[in-house]
PDB file of all heavy atoms in Angstrom:
ATOM      1  N   PRO A 202      78.289 126.751  96.819  1.00  0.00           N
ATOM      2  CA  PRO A 202      79.691 126.292  97.113  1.00  0.00           C
ATOM      3  C   PRO A 202      80.711 127.137  96.420  1.00  0.00           C
ATOM      4  O   PRO A 202      80.510 127.534  95.195  1.00  0.00           O
ATOM      5  CB  PRO A 202      79.679 124.941  96.499  1.00  0.00           C
ATOM      6  CG  PRO A 202      78.627 124.977  95.454  1.00  0.00           C
ATOM      7  CD  PRO A 202      77.530 125.869  95.999  1.00  0.00           C
ATOM      8  N   LYS A 203      81.607 127.569  97.128  1.00  0.00           N
ATOM      9  CA  LYS A 203      82.696 128.423  96.566  1.00  0.00           C
ATOM     10  C   LYS A 203      83.440 127.554  95.546  1.00  0.00           C
ATOM     11  O   LYS A 203      83.992 126.540  95.847  1.00  0.00           O
ATOM     12  CB  LYS A 203      83.504 128.930  97.696  1.00  0.00           C
ATOM     13  CG  LYS A 203      84.454 130.036  97.307  1.00  0.00           C
ATOM     14  CD  LYS A 203      83.647 131.366  97.754  1.00  0.00           C
ATOM     15  CE  LYS A 203      84.592 132.510  97.644  1.00  0.00           C
ATOM     16  NZ  LYS A 203      83.934 133.742  97.977  1.00  0.00           N
ATOM     17  N   PRO A 204      83.460 127.976  94.283  1.00  0.00           N
ATOM     18  CA  PRO A 204      84.196 127.170  93.386  1.00  0.00           C
ATOM     19  C   PRO A 204      85.675 127.156  93.730  1.00  0.00           C
ATOM     20  O   PRO A 204      86.240 128.101  94.084  1.00  0.00           O
ATOM     21  CB  PRO A 204      83.905 127.799  92.083  1.00  0.00           C
ATOM     22  CG  PRO A 204      83.493 129.229  92.460  1.00  0.00           C
ATOM     23  CD  PRO A 204      82.923 129.095  93.732  1.00  0.00           C
ATOM     24  N   GLU A 205      86.124 125.869  93.533  1.00  0.00           N
ATOM     25  CA  GLU A 205      87.654 125.827  93.626  1.00  0.00           C
ATOM     26  C   GLU A 205      88.272 126.340  92.348  1.00  0.00           C
ATOM     27  O   GLU A 205      88.739 125.681  91.405  1.00  0.00           O
ATOM     28  CB  GLU A 205      88.087 124.350  93.856  1.00  0.00           C
ATOM     29  CG  GLU A 205      87.097 123.429  93.072  1.00  0.00           C
ATOM     30  CD  GLU A 205      87.436 121.976  93.443  1.00  0.00           C
ATOM     31  OE1 GLU A 205      87.124 121.560  94.564  1.00  0.00           O
ATOM     32  OE2 GLU A 205      88.023 121.308  92.616  1.00  0.00           O
ATOM     33  N   LEU A 206      88.245 127.687  92.259  1.00  0.00           N
ATOM     34  CA  LEU A 206      88.606 128.272  91.079  1.00  0.00           C
ATOM     35  C   LEU A 206      89.817 129.114  91.264  1.00  0.00           C
ATOM     36  O   LEU A 206      90.053 129.676  92.281  1.00  0.00           O
ATOM     37  CB  LEU A 206      87.420 129.121  90.589  1.00  0.00           C
ATOM     38  CG  LEU A 206      87.528 129.934  89.392  1.00  0.00           C
ATOM     39  CD1 LEU A 206      87.744 128.860  88.224  1.00  0.00           C
ATOM     40  CD2 LEU A 206      86.355 130.745  89.112  1.00  0.00           C
ATOM     41  N   VAL A 207      90.444 129.377  90.172  1.00  0.00           N
ATOM     42  CA  VAL A 207      91.721 130.095  90.241  1.00  0.00           C
ATOM     43  C   VAL A 207      91.675 131.446  89.517  1.00  0.00           C
ATOM     44  O   VAL A 207      92.556 132.088  89.274  1.00  0.00           O
ATOM     45  CB  VAL A 207      92.940 129.309  89.629  1.00  0.00           C
ATOM     46  CG1 VAL A 207      93.245 128.129  90.511  1.00  0.00           C
ATOM     47  CG2 VAL A 207      92.529 128.882  88.172  1.00  0.00           C
ATOM     48  N   VAL A 208      90.365 131.796  89.355  1.00  0.00           N
ATOM     49  CA  VAL A 208      90.216 133.073  88.637  1.00  0.00           C
ATOM     50  C   VAL A 208      90.875 134.263  89.415  1.00  0.00           C
ATOM     51  O   VAL A 208      91.245 135.267  88.906  1.00  0.00           O
ATOM     52  CB  VAL A 208      88.849 133.403  88.322  1.00  0.00           C
ATOM     53  CG1 VAL A 208      88.373 132.588  87.162  1.00  0.00           C
ATOM     54  CG2 VAL A 208      87.921 133.154  89.480  1.00  0.00           C
ATOM     55  N   ASN A 209      90.989 134.048  90.720  1.00  0.00           N
ATOM     56  CA  ASN A 209      91.574 135.159  91.394  1.00  0.00           C
ATOM     57  C   ASN A 209      93.044 135.405  91.112  1.00  0.00           C
ATOM     58  O   ASN A 209      93.632 136.341  91.596  1.00  0.00           O
ATOM     59  CB  ASN A 209      91.364 134.881  92.965  1.00  0.00           C
ATOM     60  CG  ASN A 209      90.037 135.170  93.434  1.00  0.00           C
ATOM     61  OD1 ASN A 209      89.314 136.023  93.027  1.00  0.00           O
ATOM     62  ND2 ASN A 209      89.498 134.369  94.385  1.00  0.00           N
ATOM     63  N   SER A 210      93.549 134.467  90.404  1.00  0.00           N
ATOM     64  CA  SER A 210      94.842 134.695  90.027  1.00  0.00           C
ATOM     65  C   SER A 210      95.089 135.813  88.917  1.00  0.00           C
ATOM     66  O   SER A 210      96.169 136.212  88.667  1.00  0.00           O
ATOM     67  CB  SER A 210      95.521 133.419  89.452  1.00  0.00           C
ATOM     68  OG  SER A 210      94.846 133.070  88.204  1.00  0.00           O
ATOM     69  N   PHE A 211      93.940 136.271  88.415  1.00  0.00           N
ATOM     70  CA  PHE A 211      93.931 137.400  87.496  1.00  0.00           C
ATOM     71  C   PHE A 211      94.605 138.559  88.109  1.00  0.00           C
ATOM     72  O   PHE A 211      94.218 138.880  89.209  1.00  0.00           O
ATOM     73  CB  PHE A 211      92.625 137.662  87.038  1.00  0.00           C
ATOM     74  CG  PHE A 211      91.983 136.785  86.108  1.00  0.00           C
ATOM     75  CD1 PHE A 211      90.621 136.700  85.906  1.00  0.00           C
ATOM     76  CD2 PHE A 211      92.678 135.704  85.504  1.00  0.00           C
ATOM     77  CE1 PHE A 211      89.956 135.870  85.169  1.00  0.00           C
ATOM     78  CE2 PHE A 211      92.103 134.787  84.742  1.00  0.00           C
ATOM     79  CZ  PHE A 211      90.719 134.848  84.466  1.00  0.00           C
ATOM     80  N   ASN A 212      95.534 139.058  87.434  1.00  0.00           N
ATOM     81  CA  ASN A 212      96.232 140.220  88.062  1.00  0.00           C
ATOM     82  C   ASN A 212      96.034 141.444  87.235  1.00  0.00           C
ATOM     83  O   ASN A 212      96.532 142.518  87.588  1.00  0.00           O
ATOM     84  CB  ASN A 212      97.648 139.919  88.228  1.00  0.00           C
ATOM     85  CG  ASN A 212      97.918 138.927  89.310  1.00  0.00           C
ATOM     86  OD1 ASN A 212      97.336 138.812  90.286  1.00  0.00           O
ATOM     87  ND2 ASN A 212      98.864 138.050  89.043  1.00  0.00           N
ATOM     88  N   THR A 213      95.386 141.376  86.124  1.00  0.00           N
ATOM     89  CA  THR A 213      95.219 142.496  85.241  1.00  0.00           C
ATOM     90  C   THR A 213      94.553 143.633  85.868  1.00  0.00           C
ATOM     91  O   THR A 213      93.491 143.487  86.591  1.00  0.00           O
ATOM     92  CB  THR A 213      94.350 142.045  84.018  1.00  0.00           C
ATOM     93  OG1 THR A 213      94.929 140.869  83.498  1.00  0.00           O
ATOM     94  CG2 THR A 213      94.387 143.070  82.978  1.00  0.00           C
ATOM     95  N   LYS A 214      95.074 144.708  85.778  1.00  0.00           N
ATOM     96  CA  LYS A 214      94.521 145.944  86.518  1.00  0.00           C
ATOM     97  C   LYS A 214      93.955 146.840  85.445  1.00  0.00           C
ATOM     98  O   LYS A 214      93.080 147.668  85.906  1.00  0.00           O
ATOM     99  CB  LYS A 214      95.676 146.621  87.161  1.00  0.00           C
ATOM    100  CG  LYS A 214      96.161 145.860  88.331  1.00  0.00           C
ATOM    101  CD  LYS A 214      95.182 145.807  89.450  1.00  0.00           C
ATOM    102  CE  LYS A 214      95.601 145.058  90.646  1.00  0.00           C
ATOM    103  NZ  LYS A 214      94.621 144.871  91.603  1.00  0.00           N
ATOM    104  N   SER A 215      94.172 146.794  84.301  1.00  0.00           N
ATOM    105  CA  SER A 215      93.670 147.805  83.289  1.00  0.00           C
ATOM    106  C   SER A 215      92.312 147.286  82.953  1.00  0.00           C
ATOM    107  O   SER A 215      91.909 146.178  83.010  1.00  0.00           O
ATOM    108  CB  SER A 215      94.518 147.857  82.139  1.00  0.00           C
ATOM    109  OG  SER A 215      94.480 146.692  81.396  1.00  0.00           O
ATOM    110  N   VAL A 216      91.627 148.263  82.395  1.00  0.00           N
ATOM    111  CA  VAL A 216      90.221 147.977  81.860  1.00  0.00           C
ATOM    112  C   VAL A 216      90.270 147.011  80.737  1.00  0.00           C
ATOM    113  O   VAL A 216      89.549 146.032  80.488  1.00  0.00           O
ATOM    114  CB  VAL A 216      89.517 149.162  81.485  1.00  0.00           C
ATOM    115  CG1 VAL A 216      88.197 148.912  80.768  1.00  0.00           C
ATOM    116  CG2 VAL A 216      89.223 150.049  82.683  1.00  0.00           C
ATOM    117  N   ASN A 217      91.185 147.202  79.852  1.00  0.00           N
ATOM    118  CA  ASN A 217      91.430 146.340  78.687  1.00  0.00           C
ATOM    119  C   ASN A 217      92.761 145.527  78.993  1.00  0.00           C
ATOM    120  O   ASN A 217      93.893 145.920  78.572  1.00  0.00           O
ATOM    121  CB  ASN A 217      91.608 147.117  77.400  1.00  0.00           C
ATOM    122  CG  ASN A 217      90.357 147.663  77.073  1.00  0.00           C
ATOM    123  OD1 ASN A 217      89.323 147.039  77.101  1.00  0.00           O
ATOM    124  ND2 ASN A 217      90.369 148.950  76.762  1.00  0.00           N
ATOM    125  N   PRO A 218      92.701 144.417  79.698  1.00  0.00           N
ATOM    126  CA  PRO A 218      93.877 143.663  80.118  1.00  0.00           C
ATOM    127  C   PRO A 218      94.678 143.203  78.884  1.00  0.00           C
ATOM    128  O   PRO A 218      94.142 142.841  77.901  1.00  0.00           O
ATOM    129  CB  PRO A 218      93.267 142.481  80.833  1.00  0.00           C
ATOM    130  CG  PRO A 218      91.910 142.300  80.351  1.00  0.00           C
ATOM    131  CD  PRO A 218      91.332 143.710  80.010  1.00  0.00           C
TER     132      PRO A 218
END
Side-chain angles (χ1 to χ4, degrees):
Chain A
K203 199 92 170 179
E205 34 184 74
L206 182 61
V207 291
V208 284
N209 282 327
S210 65
F211 291 163
N212 290 320
T213 308
K214 290 294 182 187
S215 64
V216 170
N217 292 314

